[in-house]
Amino acid sequence: MPNSATPTHCPYCALQCGMNLTPVEGGTVEVSERADFPVNRGALCGKGRTAPAVLSSRVRLTSPLVRSGGTLVPASWDEALDRIAAELSRTRAEHGPDACGVFGGGGLTNEKAYTLGKFARIVLGTSQIDYNGRFCMSSAAAGGIKAFGLDRGLPFPLEDIPRTGCVILVGSNPAETMPPSLRYFTELRENGGTLIVIDPRRTKTAEQADLHLAPRPGTDLALALGLLHLVVAEGRVDEEYVRERTVGWEEARAAAMAHWPEYVERITGVSVPQLRETVRMFCEPEAAMVLTARGPEQQSKGTDTVGAWINLCLATGRAGRPLSGYGCLTGQGNGQGGREHGQKADQLPGYRKLDDPAARRHVAEVWGVDPDSLPGPGRSAYELLDALGTDIRSLLLMGSNPVVSAPHAAHIEERIKSLDFLAVCDVVLSETAALADVVLPVTQWAEETGTTTNLEGRVLLRRQAITPPEGVRSDLEIMHELADRLGVEKGFPTDPEEVFEELRRASAGGAADYSGITYRRLAEENGVFWPCPAPEAGLADIGGTADTEGAQDLGDLGDVGDVGGTADTRGARDSGNGEVHPGTPRLFLDRFATPDGRARFVPVSHRASAEEPDAEYPVLLTTGRVVAQYQSGAQTRRVDELNAAAPGPFVELHPRLAERLGATEGDPVAVVSRRGRAVAPARITTAIRPDTVFMPFHWYGEGRANSLTNPALDPTSRMPEFKTCAVRLETVKR
Ligand SMILES: Nc1nc2c(c(=O)[nH]1)N[C@H]1C(S)=C(S)[C@@H](COP(=O)(O)OP(=O)(O)OC[C@H]3O[C@@H](n4cnc5c(=O)[nH]c(N)nc54)[C@H](O)[C@@H]3O)O[C@H]1N2
Ligand SMILES: Nc1nc2c(c(=O)[nH]1)N[C@H]1C(S)=C(S)[C@@H](COP(=O)(O)OP(=O)(O)OC[C@H]3O[C@@H](n4cnc5c(=O)[nH]c(N)nc54)[C@H](O)[C@@H]3O)O[C@H]1N2
Ligand code: SF4
Ligand SMILES: [Mo]
């Protein structure tokens, strides 16, 4: 391993900030600024800066653990792997392949996510695989596919933000969730553009805004419809754009017209003058953007809500034009790539659909199996977890900690405990790993190489900077060993670049086409935006045994125009002269990725949340994040500096609500929903609506927010309603 600095990327969120790592005593690394990476230009948040602490063997797993007599005890790798293989075989023999479940994560590299999907389908033969990204951006993905025919979180690079005229940030708090990205919004305002933030709380992000709207949680759909109503009423529709680049306007328009501003004010709590001001700020500049994050998306109507915001963009001609568009701020480190290469229940690599015969043929050929042997689509994440111990008897889990992060978590914890067998691969003993029958300790970011795809669709190379400690193995090695023990000796390489080369072929011709990307390019170019199809010569390069298959793919590459790349990139793509495709930073400028190239309006109407407040549960609960903790906290709760900054859960509530309850700052407050009860200290602030309380979800134990949340699912995306449920508050005597 080099002793000098290795340029790489942060292990945590989807910004994938660049950083340099230098090995230091004790097997860990020192983080230093990497100014050449454009996304963060050297800036890091506290999580990124302190990430090396989780490399320390003081906090991590360094030996496999096997349950024996009720407790987890250290075991050899052979013993642990043999046990997993034996249990999975037994489950399959006794209950059929679909009794084996697999659960992945959006933090896994592309190589791992790809291999996990392949492992499920061809080693276990199960349809029962899904991953935590379902809880993350699935509603935005579904909305994007419906409207544009393609889901890439941002259709433009972040660097476009400072140059547009207005950005509406809907339910997104980048000041805490992606701090280095805040600079783009600051620059937007410095350049004379405006920022509108829509959040039931006056967050650190909202404090930066020119206008802050604080709707009731769960009413973003009505809000967007009310804005569209005003756009029509005020004659601000871009008729020519609507005619030339969209279909379905009449139905969408009719639906929006039923949402009178006064009606929307009653539903959302946002006043009519504020609605009018929003429309004015959004429509007056030449270009504008809407960016959503988990606020409007993690709702049982998340897909329709995203559709309503896209409708607003389409009606005003603000999509598929320079410096304009709708985007979703994806969350996890590989939240984008993790949803493209096959760990999702309905999906094959390259963002192909598992129920599409042509897609099955293509991928089966790359995998060297009969297309008919591939299982069909499986269950979504919550439904999969809910079936544990009944239909699904054994589970292999990699890259998630659902005991903390799943909705209705006490129930999911019970389901996990009722499994015949649970194997967890993790770097630390997470709360979910602690319930496993076998725990396998894995290498992590700085100790292994792999690619991630950041929130912009930029594929990046995360490089190994240090040698992993004794006793741990990579997820790829684990899948190789398990496949081997389960009778599949070939097709599960342990070298990430070899996996990536196969992924290139598997993705070729798909929507998320990586076939023109190589590790070498990634190292040289600071990332490449997909789609990036291979030119003729390049594709043959990938070929090996699949040369003829490669030639066939080339025919398909013409279809790549469907993803709506810009004209210049398509020129390069079509040249067929072996030229390198430059990648596609900006999508949809000529056409959308639909068969006719036009975007689709979706006719949507307001509907209530799955659970509205009533006499018994009169208050709304919403949940989210704080800057110093990451997700289920499995990693960041092991970092002293972060714990000092964010030591535990809390209940954020308005002084009026606190007064009615008789609680003062720091008093323990019980929050009770139909699913359970959680207790945490009161944090009293006027920055939240008086009808709403907020809890971060990073902790286990009595302050676990997900003891309360409602697993009502969006009918399309199967996203649970993390962002709203009905609760009552009680004081707790201590
Ligand atoms: N520090 C930190 N950073 C992270 C993560 C982390 O755990 N910690 N996780 C990463 C991941 S995976 C993700 S997905 C992203 C998430 O990034 P964000 O979406 O920015 O994070 P959240 O805090 O979940 O939600 C954002 C805001 O939505 C608001 N909100 C709640 N309910 C509603 C509603 O009904 N409507 C609207 N409009 N807003 C609402 C909340 O008050 C909150 O301020 O962050 C990534 N970055
Ligand atoms: N109430 C509420 N709940 C939520 C949300 C919310 O806003 N509110 N947000 C949801 C969202 S957006 C998300 S993304 C989920 C996230 O929730 P989780 O899926 O629980 O995410 P993490 O805590 O990141 O879990 C990742 C686990 O994998 C381990 N790990 C890290 N890297 C690797 C690796 O390379 N290999 C392996 N094998 N393991 C690794 C980590 O140590 C950790 O234990 O939570 C969801 N839950
Ligand atoms: S913003 Fe995200 S990627 Fe950047 S340092 Fe923080 S956690 Fe890491
Ligand atoms: Mo997420």
Side-chain angles (χ1 to χ4, degrees), residues 97 157 196 207 250 297 383 390 400 519 522 588 600 702:
I196 303 174
E207 280 170 8
E250 277 315 312
E297 298 169 16
E383 292 162 293
T390 53
S400 181
Y519 271 31
L522 293 178
F588 312 140
R600 304 279 181 273
E702 72 168 2

Side-chain angles (χ1 to χ4, degrees), residues 10 12-17 19 44-45 47-49 177-180:
C10 176
Y12 298 120
C13 85
L15 209 53
Q16 284 297 285
C17 292
M19 52 171 65
L44 296 172
C45 80
K47 296 184 297 300
R49 244 186 327 98
T177 54
M178 294 180 186

Side-chain angles (χ1 to χ4, degrees), residues 136 331-332 625 631:
C136 188
Q332 298 182 85
R625 293 155 167 84
Q631 313 276 62

Side-chain angles (χ1 to χ4, degrees), residues 88-389:
L88 292 173
S89 294
R90 193 164 59 119
T91 296
R92 204 168 43 175
E94 287 177 8
H95 304 281
D98 277 355
C100 293
V102 176
F103 200 86
L108 301 176
T109 59
N110 290 314
E111 292 77 2
K112 294 178 184 191
Y114 170 83
T115 305
L116 193 64
K118 182 178 178 184
F119 182 87
R121 271 84 181 216
I122 73 174
V123 178
L124 300 177
T126 182
S127 65
Q128 299 300 304
I129 173 169
D130 210 48
Y131 79 121
N132 68 5
R134 185 73 70 169
F135 297 160
C136 188
M137 36 25 72
S138 60
S139 294
I145 289 171
K146 270 191 191 181
F148 306 132
L150 183 78
D151 155 42
R152 195 184 84 184
L154 292 180
F156 41 71
L158 287 170
E159 70 187 46
D160 284 3
I161 289 174
R163 296 186 292 137
T164 189
C166 173
V167 175
I168 308 185
L169 265 180
V170 194
S172 166
N173 184 15
E176 301 219 43
T177 54
M178 294 180 186
S181 76
L182 207 60
R183 179 174 52 85
Y184 292 100
F185 300 100
T186 311
E187 285 173 12
L188 164 76
R189 299 191 60 224
E190 285 166 2
N191 292 344
T194 53
L195 177 65
I196 303 174
V197 170
I198 303 182
D199 195 308
R201 303 185 302 139
R202 193 176 63 249
T203 58
K204 290 202 175 77
T205 310
E207 280 170 8
Q208 312 278 317
D210 298 281
L211 180 61
H212 170 215
L213 311 181
R216 282 176 78 231
T219 63
D220 302 85
L221 174 53
L223 185 64
L225 284 159
L227 297 174
L228 184 54
H229 180 113
L230 284 170
V231 162
V232 176
E234 294 177 5
R236 296 183 188 267
V237 175
D238 186 336
E239 304 283 355
E240 191 186 326
Y241 173 95
V242 167
R243 210 169 36 245
E244 285 174 7
R245 298 208 54 190
T246 71
V247 293
W249 169 232
E250 277 315 312
E251 294 83 351
R253 179 184 179 280
M257 292 324 280
H259 296 74
W260 289 92
E262 293 73 16
Y263 171 57
V264 169
E265 176 179 305
R266 274 205 309 282
I267 297 168
T268 61
V270 176
S271 71
V272 175
Q274 280 191 316
L275 294 172
R276 285 192 194 284
E277 180 63 1
T278 304
V279 167
R280 189 191 65 74
M281 285 165 69
F282 184 67
C283 292
E284 278 184 357
E286 210 166 297
M289 298 172 177
V290 171
L291 303 179
T292 65
R294 302 307 81 79
E297 298 169 16
Q298 289 174 325
Q299 301 183 14
S300 60
K301 51 180 174 290
T303 306
D304 281 359
T305 302
V306 165
W309 285 102
I310 293 176
N311 285 351
L312 182 71
C313 291
L314 294 176
T316 53
R318 291 163 188 298
R321 278 181 167 172
L323 306 179
S324 275
Y326 163 80
C328 144
L329 296 164
T330 297
Q332 298 182 85
N334 193 29
Q336 182 67 50
R339 73 209 207 213
E340 298 163 1
H341 299 297
Q343 61 177 331
K344 195 161 161 262
D346 57 352
Q347 196 189 64
L348 289 169
Y351 227 132
R352 288 186 159 90
K353 297 287 282 183
L354 198 45
D355 56 9
D356 167 8
R360 293 169 69 88
R361 273 197 307 279
H362 173 87
V363 175
E365 169 114 36
V366 175
W367 289 352
V369 299
D370 177 356
D372 293 336
S373 72
L374 296 176
R379 290 181 176 86
S380 77
Y382 182 79
E383 292 162 293
L384 189 157
L385 296 171
D386 190 37
L388 299 182

Side-chain angles (χ1 to χ4, degrees), residues 5 66 187 452 520 536 546 566:
V66 168
E187 285 173 12
T452 59
R520 204 171 85 210
E536 208 157 3
T566 59

